[in-house]
Amino acid sequence: MIRRALDWLGSARRINIDINDEIATLKFDNLLLRYANKHLRGELAEAKPLIAYALKRKASLAKHDKKRVAK
């Protein structure tokens, strides 16, 4: 009976260690994702004017092509 209890406690301890390892891994992954998100937001903020220009240019070219085809 005591042996079963000790086996059960040992098993529970191993499971707890596995869970703690997984939590540590997830915390690290979360930290990496937060850093990447912050970095990408900065890059997006820098690229917004260029994106806006490209979209305006695309619309202008499409409008010009549409007029040219209509002639």
Side-chain angles (χ1 to χ4, degrees):
M1 176 118 170
I2 292 177
R3 184 167 179 90
R4 275 191 188 171
L6 291 175
D7 286 344
W8 182 83
L9 287 173
S11 176
R13 182 171 182 247
R14 283 188 295 278
I15 291 170
N16 188 40
I17 289 170
D18 291 344
I19 290 171
N20 286 339
D21 289 345
E22 185 67 25
I23 289 172
T25 301
L26 292 173
K27 284 182 180 179
F28 181 73
D29 290 348
N30 187 16
L31 182 65
L32 288 176
L33 290 173
R34 284 180 179 216
Y35 173 77
N37 185 28
K38 184 178 179 182
H39 182 72
L40 290 174
R41 283 179 184 262
E43 287 186 8
L44 178 61
E46 291 176 9
K48 276 187 179 181
L50 184 60
I51 293 168
Y53 172 77
L55 291 174
K56 285 181 186 177
R57 179 83 171 128
K58 181 179 177 183
S60 175
L61 290 173
K63 186 177 178 183
H64 177 70
D65 287 346
K66 187 176 179 181
K67 283 183 183 178
R68 193 178 64 173
V69 170
K71 287 185 180 181

